[in-house]
Amino acid sequence: MSYQTINPANNKLIKSWPEHSPQQVEQALDTAAKLYQSAWCKGDIQPRLQVLKKLADLIDSRVDELAKIASVEMGKLINQSRGEVKLCAQIARYYAENAGRFLQSTRYPSDLGEAWVENHPIGVIMAVEPWNFPYYQLMRVLAPNLAAGNPVLAKHAGIVPHCASIFEQLVLDAGAPKGAWTNMFISTAQVAELIADDRVQGAALTGSEKAGSIVAAQAAKYLKKSTLELGGNDVFVVLDDCNLDEAVRQGAQARLNNAGQVCTAAKRFVVQQKVADAFLEKFTAAFKAVKIGDPLDESTTLGPLSSAAARDSLVQQVQAAVDNGATLHFGGSALEGEGCFYQPTILTNITRANPAYFEEFFGPVAQIYVVKDDDEVVKLANDSHYGLGGSVFTSNIERGKKLASRIETGMVYINSMTDTAPELPFGGVKRSGFGRELSDLGIKEFVNQKLVVVAKA
């Protein structure tokens, strides 16, 4: 595959990046494997935590520079890019401050004797990451694994090679030894070969359902642990007792943030009948008010999709939804001229027979569903192949809690769009994947939880 930086705001090629040769791949794996055997990975945790602390400081000192690189490379609004960069620093600092506690031994009372579980690194991890959050996705894997002592080989998406290479340099500049994090410009076939290699002990992927299935199958074939964070078709539930204006404000943001290219974006708006007409009217007005343009312009509120391929795929998907009976309520077209822009779009009257009912739309396209009561909310929410996140808007928190418990997803936010924070676990169920990233759960995914027992005399 090719690694190219193409600005999606004007389709101009900025730079092409050469793929790594088989010799370079072998050298990278050998370096990582040897590092794993060293005191850096298996000794005192403090040097590793100091690297994370330095990395957080480095990122904080270069927010604007790093943000611009991401915005130029994949089209994210500049202020959203700044937010992503700052979040990366927060994640690095979080693990620098908390990983030691997370990895402490845990005592287990037992009649057999004195017993405890220790947490040890397991070895080299192969990470495959997507373009939509080109730094954050990498940091979610790096921070816990660096703290735990697992070297990481990382294959980033082909359209964000500048972000991939500068992230690796940041890790090295923070004092990590060569091999702790290695950026790999490689093919999917080479990823499969690396997962098969005895020196690799796990695989972490964030991406599409198809890519996840391939990587998980390869890892399973060689009896290796994997974690997957895949697609989502998240519900944004609008109950009849909610603050409607706030639901509209956050709903529009939840669908249009990052031009809709978010796994946990609100995609299915499930609105109760009593407020459906009012919600749709206000929601449409919010979409009409969007300013489409250059992501580097601070006044822009909707940037381009990440690539021409992403835009063209969305065009076909929306057309197929309409061909199968959906109503195009608003928008529905790519913008003519340079760049990969697509109008904010609202689809209504989607039946279960329509392919769009089960699909993930990775762009600024909202689906509106109208239901009668809370039971119908749950039925529709759970009638999905995915189960990543979701939101419930209500003035009755107890009612919201009950619904949250019944919705089959990895995450539910009440009176907020789906969000993320270093201290909160991130992940889903069903075809949205398995395993968790961030928080104390994330650092335990790729450690050997080893039981030690001292028998009673």
Side-chain angles (χ1 to χ4, degrees):
M1 65 179 293
S2 63
Y3 285 81
Q4 293 184 320
T5 298
I6 298 173
N7 186 340
N10 56 27
N11 292 340
K12 289 181 180 174
L13 173 65
I14 297 172
K15 184 177 178 179
S16 294
W17 306 72
E19 286 190 46
H20 289 113
S21 67
Q23 293 78 16
Q24 288 173 307
V25 173
E26 170 56 32
Q27 181 59 54
L29 177 54
D30 183 64
T31 299
K34 285 176 178 172
L35 181 66
Y36 170 63
Q37 297 299 337
S38 73
W40 163 261
C41 290
K42 298 192 174 185
D44 182 14
I45 193 175
Q46 286 306 316
R48 302 195 298 273
L49 300 188
Q50 287 305 308
V51 168
L52 286 174
K53 184 177 184 302
K54 177 75 182 298
L55 180 58
D57 293 341
L58 265 178
I59 291 171
D60 274 338
S61 72
R62 297 172 64 180
V63 170
D64 286 342
E65 172 203 352
L66 296 171
K68 185 174 180 182
I69 290 170
S71 290
V72 167
E73 195 159 54
M74 55 72 58
K76 192 189 303 284
L77 297 185
I78 187 63
N79 200 43
Q80 292 177 10
S81 291
R82 290 190 196 105
E84 179 182 344
V85 172
K86 291 174 184 175
L87 177 59
C88 288
Q90 292 166 15
I91 294 170
R93 194 167 285 115
Y94 172 78
Y95 281 106
E97 294 172 355
N98 294 284
R101 176 168 54 88
F102 294 155
L103 296 174
Q104 283 177 350
S105 297
T106 305
R107 296 278 166 181
Y108 282 77
S110 170
D111 292 339
L112 297 182
E114 184 186 2
W116 66 91
V117 167
E118 300 173 350
N119 296 291
H120 297 281
I122 62 168
V124 180
I125 306 300
M126 180 75 232
V128 181
E129 300 301 319
W131 45 262
N132 58 336
F133 289 90
Y135 300 126
Y136 163 70
Q137 302 285 9
L138 302 187
M139 185 58 80
R140 284 200 327 207
V141 177
L142 169 79
N145 282 294
L146 184 72
N150 296 319
V152 180
L153 304 175
K155 182 213 171 296
H156 214 338
I159 65 171
V160 287
H162 194 178
C163 290
S165 60
I166 202 165
F167 187 90
E168 179 185 49
Q169 192 59 51
L170 282 165
V171 177
L172 293 171
D173 290 348
K178 198 168 175 60
W181 177 274
T182 309
N183 173 53
M184 310 291 290
F185 289 145
I186 57 177
S187 66
T188 52
Q190 286 171 301
V191 169
E193 291 170 7
L194 284 167
I195 293 173
D197 194 287
D198 286 342
R199 291 166 289 180
V200 171
Q201 291 302 311
L205 177 139
T206 296
S208 69
E209 182 184 332
K210 179 182 177 183
S213 176
I214 293 168
V215 165
Q218 182 72 349
K221 181 179 178 182
Y222 292 94
L223 300 178
K224 295 174 184 179
K225 173 73 181 286
S226 63
T227 59
L228 304 177
E229 194 271 279
L230 308 177
N233 200 4
D234 289 6
V235 290
F236 188 99
V237 177
V238 181
L239 298 184
D240 50 20
D241 64 355
C242 77
N243 179 333
L244 202 60
D245 289 336
E246 184 61 14
V248 168
R249 185 187 72 79
Q250 290 209 46
Q253 186 180 349
R255 178 63 284 205
L256 301 180
N257 181 44
N258 205 27
Q261 300 166 123
V262 185
C263 298
T264 56
K267 289 162 187 161
R268 295 181 296 157
F269 289 80
V270 181
V271 188
Q272 290 194 325
Q273 226 161 29
K274 289 180 184 176
V275 293
D277 290 344
F279 176 83
L280 184 57
E281 182 182 346
K282 291 171 181 284
F283 192 65
T284 306
F287 270 38
K288 284 179 179 176
V290 163
K291 181 186 176 186
I292 300 174
D294 181 356
L296 297 179
D297 183 340
E298 300 278 357
S299 68
T300 299
T301 56
L302 184 65
L305 294 180
S306 62
S307 66
R311 175 202 59 205
D312 295 345
S313 175
L314 193 64
V315 167
Q316 294 170 7
Q317 204 174 12
V318 171
Q319 187 57 54
V322 174
D323 290 345
N324 281 277
T327 299
L328 184 60
H329 176 78
F330 181 76
S333 299
L335 270 63
E336 294 183 5
E338 67 179 15
C340 306
F341 296 93
Y342 192 90
Q343 292 175 315
T345 297
I346 299 172
L347 296 172
T348 60
N349 298 318
I350 298 168
T351 66
R352 198 175 188 278
N354 193 323
Y357 184 91
F358 288 105
E359 291 176 352
E360 177 181 31
F361 283 68
F362 220 57
V365 179
Q367 301 181 10
I368 307 291
Y369 296 87
V370 179
V371 297
K372 284 185 295 189
D373 54 29
D374 291 12
D375 286 341
E376 281 199 6
V377 165
V378 173
K379 183 180 178 182
L380 181 56
N382 293 344
D383 191 17
S384 172
H385 299 317
Y386 297 108
L388 191 52
S391 298
V392 176
F393 276 73
T394 177
S395 62
N396 184 335
I397 300 303
E398 289 306 312
R399 182 185 183 193
K401 287 178 182 178
K402 288 177 182 176
L403 277 179
S405 294
R406 296 173 66 193
I407 294 173
E408 296 169 348
T409 63
M411 304 170 281
V412 179
Y413 282 72
I414 298 171
N415 291 336
S416 168
M417 59 186 281
T418 307
D419 206 343
T420 185
E423 67 275 11
L424 299 178
F426 190 102
V429 295
K430 303 187 197 178
R431 295 187 195 173
S432 290
F434 46 76
R436 292 295 181 268
E437 292 183 316
L438 301 176
S439 79
D440 60 321
L441 301 186
I443 203 168
K444 297 289 183 68
E445 290 288 356
F446 292 107
V447 297
N448 173 14
Q449 299 180 47
K450 180 194 293 180
L451 173 67
V452 181
V453 179
V454 180
K456 287 182 177 178

